[in-house]
Amino acid sequence: MFTLLALASSLVWGTSDFVAGVKAKTRPAAAVVGWSQAIGLLAMTIAVCLRTPHFASGSWPLWAVLAGVSGSGALVCFYAALSTGTMGVVAPIASLGVVVPVILGVASGEQPALLAWVGIMVAISGVLLASGPELEGAVSRRPVVLASAAGAGFGVGLFSIHAGSADSVVDTLWLMRLTSVSLFGLAALVLRRAGGMTRADLPVLVFVGLADLVANALFGLAATRGYVSIAAVLGSLYPVVTAVLAYAVLHERLRRVQLAGVALTMAGVALIAGA
């Protein structure tokens, strides 16, 4: 069940990212994220109101705020990196953020089996290759630094969801969304732009917002049932899902390095599941 929950989070995250990426071709990416997060916040607010008691005790508020801040900051860095660098450089570096929860998990006392460690290394290598790394040409420092910051932010966000979910998955996701939506709303006020969304954009925004929410919940549940160092790796396979969907739906060509990455990722998952 632990493995299935973590893999399901990757599947839903990858699908959400694909749909959001397609919409971002016609609307500002930050606006797509901000509005979809607002829809997620509405859904979580309803969920919290329907619960009795509404809020659990514990340290989840601290972890939820950290997840919201780190996740939002990571997205800003990621989009800024994409605006100044190539996807083949930015995406692989950002995907390595999964190393952060692995390190934090081990530092907190987790001891994965040797076979699981091999699977983790193979799966991370697979995700790196599936992201389509740019192996030729000069690379400027700015996108590399921004992509590294994005990866670190994504990694801290995953670990924070895990830590907060130990007290309450629902409460953690609610405050996480409230934090990120507040930050995006503040940015919209400062920039005096809301992305120009229309009613026609609503179905996609609802899908992306709810799908991302479900993926977070699946990961939070998985991380409370096993090692976060393993759950984070299995939950971070979404670039593979996004690449496969781009191939199947948009008929984008998968390079040989990406095909090798997909194969390595599947092998890594099999090793982790067999540990």
Side-chain angles (χ1 to χ4, degrees):
M1 181 60 69
F2 159 74
T3 301
L4 290 178
L5 285 171
L7 288 175
S9 70
S10 269
L11 178 61
V12 180
W13 257 324
T15 304
S16 174
D17 285 351
F18 170 75
V19 175
V22 172
K23 173 56 67 174
K25 294 180 183 294
T26 58
R27 299 294 185 194
V32 173
V33 175
W35 281 106
S36 62
Q37 293 268 305
I39 291 170
L41 173 61
L42 176 61
M44 290 311 303
T45 300
I46 294 173
V48 167
C49 290
L50 291 176
R51 290 201 331 159
T52 304
H54 299 315
F55 299 109
S57 59
S59 60
W60 64 267
L62 173 64
W63 293 110
V65 171
L66 180 57
V69 172
S70 60
S72 300
L75 284 172
V76 171
C77 290
F78 186 64
Y79 292 142
L82 287 177
S83 68
T84 57
T86 61
M87 175 65 79
V89 172
V90 173
I93 294 175
S95 70
L96 290 178
V98 67
V99 174
V100 174
V102 173
I103 293 174
L104 292 177
V106 173
S108 63
E110 294 183 354
Q111 296 180 341
L114 178 59
L115 186 60
W117 271 116
V118 175
I120 287 172
M121 295 299 103
V122 172
I124 291 177
S125 299
V127 172
L128 179 64
L129 295 178
S131 299
E134 185 65 52
L135 303 178
E136 299 178 353
V139 180
S140 60
R141 179 179 301 177
R142 177 178 168 80
V144 170
V145 172
L146 288 170
S148 299
F154 289 138
V156 170
L158 286 177
F159 186 82
S160 299
I161 292 174
H162 147 72
S165 295
D167 295 322
S168 173
V169 174
V170 172
D171 293 342
T172 297
L173 295 185
W174 171 76
L175 186 53
M176 174 186 173
R177 284 292 181 278
L178 179 61
T179 302
S180 60
V181 170
S182 298
L183 292 174
F184 278 111
L186 180 61
L189 287 174
V190 172
L191 297 175
R192 297 182 179 180
R193 293 200 302 268
M197 295 296 178
T198 66
R199 186 175 298 178
D201 298 313
L202 188 58
V204 171
L205 295 175
V206 170
F207 175 84
V208 172
L210 295 182
D212 183 62
L213 191 62
V214 169
N216 277 268
L218 288 169
F219 174 77
L221 290 171
T224 60
R225 286 165 168 75
Y227 286 164
V228 67
S229 52
I230 296 178
V233 173
L234 295 176
S236 298
L237 304 183
Y238 53 86
V240 177
V241 177
T242 303
V244 171
L245 284 174
Y247 168 77
V249 178
L250 301 180
H251 307 293
E252 292 185 1
R253 184 176 65 89
L254 285 176
R255 296 157 53 194
R256 289 183 180 179
V257 66
Q258 289 177 289
L259 292 173
V262 172
L264 272 178
T265 300
M266 294 176 64
V269 170
L271 289 170
I272 292 172

